[in-house]
Amino acid sequence: MAEYKYEFKVVDDQSKVNGSKICNIIDGFPLDYSEQKVLIYGKLKTLFGDPLYEEKDYENQYTYDVVTTTEDGKEIFLYAYNGPSGPAIGGQQNEESRKAAYQLIDLILQATPTDYDYVGYYLDGPSKIQEGIKNGVPYYDEEELGDLSKEEMDKIFREVTGKDI
């Protein structure tokens, strides 16, 4: 087991968390990519509880804002999220943040996932995503929504974005 230099905790003050994507949590796209994405969310839930937010927009599914403190007292703010490129870590683009991000990934990958259920939409498809973990077993189902009427698409768009088309 790795020796950890950093301890991470959820941030209460979102104004301190900024930056951009540092790295993906999953490198490449393994054959079981969807399952890995599901497990990562369950592992984040184990480590940090409920996310800062969870959206029905699958390309903006969740975010966790976290902070760690270096030995010299400097705070490093990161965020773990699932966005268009999949599960990733974001933060400042500097060496200390990258080191902390990679340690956070190691911590995430070692965690035991928590059960959860999620329903969301990928609007480019359009498709409906149902995923989660039940009794420790991940599941993922993507259903193409086919030819929707304008009214049906408007309803889904409003549900996902809170806005009218």
Side-chain angles (χ1 to χ4, degrees), residues 1-4 25 100-111:
M1 180 164 299
E3 182 178 325
Y4 292 109
I25 296 174
Y102 287 118
Q103 183 176 305
L104 178 57
I105 289 171
D106 188 46
L107 186 67
I108 292 166
L109 295 178
Q110 290 185 40

Side-chain angles (χ1 to χ4, degrees), residues 27-45:
D27 285 331
F29 291 93
L31 294 176
D32 60 351
Y33 183 71
S34 295
E35 182 177 295
Q36 292 299 317
K37 287 173 64 173
V38 170
L39 288 170
I40 286 170
Y41 193 16
K43 291 173 182 214
L44 283 163
K45 284 180 169 288

Side-chain angles (χ1 to χ4, degrees), residues 90-106:
Q92 295 297 308
Q93 298 299 312
N94 58 51
E95 188 61 28
E96 195 71 42
S97 293
R98 278 189 288 283
K99 286 180 184 176
Y102 287 118
Q103 183 176 305
L104 178 57
I105 289 171
D106 188 46

Side-chain angles (χ1 to χ4, degrees), residues 51 70 95 131 153:
T70 63
E95 188 61 28
E131 68 171 40
M153 191 61 198

Side-chain angles (χ1 to χ4, degrees), residues 59-134:
E59 290 190 304
N60 189 29
Q61 186 181 12
Y62 60 80
T63 293
Y64 287 88
D65 290 347
V66 296
V67 65
T68 188
T69 306
T70 63
E71 292 174 355
D72 62 358
K74 178 183 172 191
E75 290 183 316
I76 300 171
F77 294 92
L78 301 172
Y79 53 99
Y81 66 98
N82 187 46
S85 65
I89 305 293
Q92 295 297 308
Q93 298 299 312
N94 58 51
E95 188 61 28
E96 195 71 42
S97 293
R98 278 189 288 283
K99 286 180 184 176
Y102 287 118
Q103 183 176 305
L104 178 57
I105 289 171
D106 188 46
L107 186 67
I108 292 166
L109 295 178
Q110 290 185 40
T112 301
T114 294
D115 286 1
Y116 74 93
D117 294 300
Y118 169 82
V119 176
Y121 296 90
Y122 176 64
L123 295 177
D124 290 349
S127 59
K128 181 178 182 180
I129 310 290
Q130 294 179 295
E131 68 171 40
I133 301 172
K134 185 169 182 150

